[in-house]
Amino acid sequence: MAGRMRDITVAVAALALLGTTSAHASGPGSEAPWYLDQFGGDAADLKRLYDGNLGIVMARAPRPQLYIAWRLLHGQAVGQAAGDALSTPCCDPPWRWTYAPRDNVGVDGWLKTRKTIPGVAEIGFLSTDRDGANYATVVNCFDEAFDTASATLKDRAAKYGAGSPEVRAWVDAQDGVFQACHDAEAKLPAPLANAPGWLKADRAYQEAAFALYQGDNTDAAIRFADIAKDKGSPWRPLAPYLRTRALVRSALYEKTGDTFNGARAAVADLAKAPAGAFGQGEARKMRRLLDFRERPKALMADLDKELAHKAASPDIAVSFRDYSSLYDKGIASPDAMDWIATVRARPDRTAMDAAEEAESSADAVVKLQKKTESDALAHARSRWTASRDPAWLIAALSLADPDTPGAADLAAAAGKVGRDSPAWLSTQYHLTRLTLGVADAGATRARLDAILQRTDLSVSDRNVLTAQRAQVAADAGDFVRFSLRKRLCADSDEKSGCVRGFWQADAVQPGGVYDKAGWEGTQGFGEDARAVIDRLPLKDRIALSRDARLPAPLRLDVALTSYARAVALGDHASVDSLAADLEKLLPQMAEDWKRVRTTTVGPDKRFYEFFVLAKVPGIRIDLVEYTRPEGTVAQFQSSWTDWIIPAKGKPVAPDPPALAQYQSGGVIEYDAKDDATDLTCLGECGVGVAPLRLPDFVRAAQGQAKAERGYFVRIKANYSDDAPPPPPAGSVAVWDEMLAYAAANPKNAQVPEALYWLVRVGRFGGSHNHSGRRAFQLLHKTYPTSPWTKRSPYFYD
């Protein structure tokens, strides 16, 4: 079946079918940060936004959502209906996303209904797309067509018998129709001889739909016109609309004056049909689609007037889609689109391809991006200077770095924006970002505290401003208050109301950093907070791990990484203190922690300290590389690191992890320098960076922190054929020392288990000098009947 609409409002799918440019593509931007959402947040935050409460403008948001910001910045209403439409990638109507259960609608519903007919061949998968240009696929058949076919089949089976040859012939013909959705070589089976009248009428409709899906638009239009004349056809009410749809497709493909004239005449006839005629509400959209191809300048002028209205039109998403597309074609450069392009500051694909071809180097793209950003900043400043429009101030601010010439002037202008302006929160964010490193910390704290007292902040905005506040914390206790971020969109899109899934964005969020396992966590350390914690000296980290305001899993994270530091430093007093805490924080290993703290300093204690490192492979000295142990001990298993401890008095003084490594979400190059990172808004608020500001109390402790770090060797597991870097001179390889202890102390009851864990080290990397093989050989030779030996039938090397 070609498809019938339940009501005219869902017919946007039909319009999308008319446009040959509709294609599947991944969403805009990059991986979505786990506590920021450039798509607007949950349902409550989106409602506040649509009602006019504009928060921090996120430059990495999709164009339609930046258009929402533009409207609000200029006193234009949005409202729930227009907001929902703009927050759904045009032009898929909401029902395509929210229909439930999914197996009763669309292709899945059709295949399920089809199975009720005896004797039909099973079809496991049915594509709705045709191959398009540039490796894209173009949607050719929509859910409504399959829904109509399912409903019709149920009706025909009930009336004429599911096992009748007539119904079987109906299904065979419909299979041919749907094969045409994706297969240009599809064919219809021969019609049933001596078919009854109902089957002949359905067959005529199927043949018209088949022609439509095959792109034989003129033939389809003729067939639908014939159906419209057949008073006995149940498809007669749909036929005038479908004839018009075929003629419009013909005009779009053939692009001749005659086809455009024929399509416009058909659209005019549809518009003049009696009220309530099927598809009549689509006439205006089809006329606009014809204008898009034939009269783009006139259409752009019409759209400019329409989108300038204070109120949002019901089909604003479709209008904005056309507006945006015409801008890309260079038809005109209206202010809204100019602003959106400036804020996003991305070179177009053609320019990027040309740059790569000219220089045959990826560096060409980097140069082009830098030039695009520089040009965008200059343009934004020029527009702001000329217009004093706060939207252009936001654009300039979002593109400026703290050390950009003129950044102080922009910051000063941001500070003058009034609280009643929709631009206020964005300008306050950028004012803080540009001055965080030089402004008085107390004054910044006071200003941010006043903002954070507001009750109308979105979750994303509160998280962004809380990150800034944490970086000017007065002391450790103050830092803890602002170290946590609330997780966004943790529930499914249907439950939370988040729209990120509509855009096919990567919604995978980092694991092991929340207050609960998996998808259950609701809050965790901010990326900035983790970087600050990793730059604290051991005693301050231990104190932080005992702060009751932090959820227990996060205290576990800090305690375990602090334990690793204490072991590396040979600080047995701190090891014992932390082991006592870890008996409660990680009770699965309570006996191991007790053994560590109750054993006197010496070879045995050192062995037990190392034993824990082998048993909990995710332990690291920094949160950025650490994996929280969850579940049973057997479930802790992941990649190990090759633990190396420098000789006392011979520090190796490595740097802390690069800040880019903490920025797991947002927009950043993994090897970016520290001063190019943004651990506050994670690159979502603009290309302007926000280098991390260590709180003053952390700065004061950097002498001790750096001295300790001299004894931390960070060696990643080796996954390549390249040899790992040689350990520092005089250093100790933990796995070597454990093997030496095991060989010298065969009666220690913990040795067989320790050898078992050393065998396991090699499975996920982190083995040292074939330690897994050596542990295997010693285990099997010395303890042939041990249960740990039986659990080690082979080694990893």
Side-chain angles (χ1 to χ4, degrees), residues 293-332:
R293 298 299 175 84
E294 190 183 23
R295 305 169 183 171
K297 290 184 178 179
L299 176 58
M300 190 63 154
D302 290 343
L303 290 170
D304 213 23
K305 292 177 183 178
E306 177 187 321
L307 294 173
H309 293 165
K310 187 174 181 63
S313 63
D315 58 349
I316 190 172
V318 179
S319 297
F320 180 75
R321 185 276 312 270
D322 293 341
Y323 197 60
S324 181
S325 297
L326 290 170
Y327 167 78
D328 288 339
K329 290 177 177 291
I331 301 303

Side-chain angles (χ1 to χ4, degrees), residues 21-43:
T21 57
S22 297
H24 293 310
S26 60
S30 61
E31 180 183 336
W34 66 280
Y35 52 77
L36 303 181
D37 186 21
Q38 67 269 51
F39 304 98
D42 61 18

Side-chain angles (χ1 to χ4, degrees), residues 434-695:
L434 293 175
T435 62
L436 196 63
V438 296
D440 176 72
T444 302
R445 276 197 300 272
R447 183 163 53 80
L448 289 172
D449 285 342
I451 299 174
L452 288 168
Q453 287 177 3
R454 293 178 54 155
T455 59
D456 61 347
L457 297 177
S458 71
V459 176
S460 275
D461 291 345
R462 186 170 294 281
N463 284 332
V464 168
L465 296 167
T466 298
Q468 290 184 326
R469 178 61 175 80
Q471 295 173 51
V472 289
D475 52 39
D478 195 34
F479 172 75
V480 169
R481 288 178 57 210
F482 298 99
S483 63
L484 301 179
R485 311 287 177 267
K486 182 178 178 181
R487 186 178 183 182
L488 261 169
C489 303
D491 293 320
S492 64
D493 294 333
E494 291 81 4
K495 188 173 180 180
S496 67
C498 294
V499 302
R500 62 196 305 167
F502 289 2
W503 296 93
Q504 300 177 343
D506 185 353
V508 175
Q509 302 182 18
V513 294
Y514 312 119
D515 55 352
K516 294 180 183 178
W519 289 98
E520 300 300 319
T522 58
Q523 60 180 348
F525 287 129
E527 312 285 50
D528 58 295
R530 292 196 297 148
V532 170
I533 292 168
D534 282 346
R535 284 153 178 77
L536 287 170
L538 178 61
K539 65 180 181 62
D540 293 335
R541 274 176 132 262
I542 294 174
L544 184 70
S545 72
R546 292 170 177 164
D547 195 307
R549 291 173 294 177
L550 293 177
L554 300 183
R555 288 188 280 117
L556 169 65
D557 297 341
V558 180
L560 277 176
T561 50
S562 296
Y563 171 86
R565 291 182 176 213
V567 171
L569 293 169
D571 184 346
H572 299 295
S574 293
V575 165
D576 292 348
S577 176
L578 285 162
D581 296 340
L582 287 163
E583 284 185 54
K584 298 178 180 178
L585 291 171
L586 195 64
Q588 303 95 311
M589 293 179 56
E591 289 301 317
D592 298 301
W593 299 122
K594 182 178 180 180
R595 191 177 298 113
V596 167
R597 69 176 176 80
T598 57
T599 302
T600 57
V601 175
D604 291 345
K605 185 179 187 69
R606 189 171 169 92
F607 172 74
Y608 294 140
E609 291 174 350
F610 292 166
F611 181 91
V612 170
L613 300 180
K615 200 169 183 178
V616 189
I619 292 182
R620 299 290 188 275
I621 57 175
D622 291 303
L623 291 170
V624 72
E625 295 169 343
Y626 154 89
T627 302
R628 180 189 301 160
E630 294 177 325
T632 65
V633 173
Q635 293 172 322
F636 292 174
Q637 303 314 302
S638 63
S639 64
W640 275 265
T641 189
D642 190 359
W643 285 100
I644 304 293
I645 299 179
K648 289 297 168 278
K650 295 183 179 180
V652 294
D655 294 326
L659 295 179
Q661 295 182 41
Y662 294 87
Q663 197 166 329
S664 58
V667 183
I668 190 68
E669 296 293 334
Y670 187 78
D671 58 353
K673 295 180 179 179
D674 284 357
D675 61 3
T677 59
D678 174 9
L679 298 187
T680 304
C681 198
L682 308 185
E684 299 301 337
C685 295
V687 300
V689 299
L692 181 71
R693 181 197 189 279
L694 292 180

Side-chain angles (χ1 to χ4, degrees), residues 226-433:
D226 290 340
I227 293 171
K229 299 173 186 176
D230 184 356
K231 296 181 180 180
S233 174
W235 307 105
R236 187 185 186 197
L238 285 70
Y241 161 73
L242 293 169
R243 170 182 174 269
T244 305
R245 178 169 149 178
L247 289 172
V248 170
R249 281 185 56 154
S250 179
L252 299 178
Y253 289 138
E254 298 182 32
K255 301 181 179 68
T256 65
D258 288 344
T259 56
F260 274 111
N261 290 338
R264 288 186 184 280
V267 171
D269 289 342
L270 182 64
K272 291 185 293 186
F278 184 87
Q280 188 177 49
E282 297 303 296
R284 177 174 178 270
K285 296 174 185 176
M286 286 194 261
R287 185 183 302 114
R288 177 162 286 179
L289 184 58
L290 294 169
D291 288 343
F292 185 91
R293 298 299 175 84
E294 190 183 23
R295 305 169 183 171
K297 290 184 178 179
L299 176 58
M300 190 63 154
D302 290 343
L303 290 170
D304 213 23
K305 292 177 183 178
E306 177 187 321
L307 294 173
H309 293 165
K310 187 174 181 63
S313 63
D315 58 349
I316 190 172
V318 179
S319 297
F320 180 75
R321 185 276 312 270
D322 293 341
Y323 197 60
S324 181
S325 297
L326 290 170
Y327 167 78
D328 288 339
K329 290 177 177 291
I331 301 303
S333 183
D335 281 355
M337 295 309 305
D338 184 19
W339 178 78
I340 291 171
T342 302
V343 168
R344 287 162 66 88
R346 298 179 187 176
D348 62 53
R349 184 71 256 176
T350 301
M352 291 178 67
D353 290 343
E356 283 186 312
E357 185 176 349
E359 297 193 25
S360 301
S361 169
D363 291 341
V365 176
V366 175
K367 292 178 183 177
L368 179 60
Q369 179 64 48
K370 294 295 185 184
K371 184 178 187 306
T372 301
E373 293 170 5
S374 176
D375 291 347
L377 175 56
H379 180 59
R381 278 177 162 165
S382 175
R383 293 300 305 269
W384 158 244
T385 301
S387 67
R388 291 308 187 201
D389 181 342
W392 287 105
L393 175 59
I394 290 174
L397 288 166
S398 70
L399 293 160
D401 293 336
D403 59 355
T404 296
D409 293 336
L410 290 173
K416 295 176 183 178
V417 174
R419 293 176 64 93
D420 58 346
S421 169
W424 184 73
L425 203 61
S426 290
T427 54
Q428 285 293 303
Y429 160 72
H430 287 294
L431 167 62
T432 306
R433 179 179 66 84

Side-chain angles (χ1 to χ4, degrees), residues 44-54 68 72 77-80:
D45 286 341
L46 285 170
K47 184 179 186 307
R48 281 194 288 268
L49 173 65
Y50 302 156
D51 287 345
N53 185 13
L54 179 63
I68 290 175
L72 296 179
V78 175
Q80 190 73 42

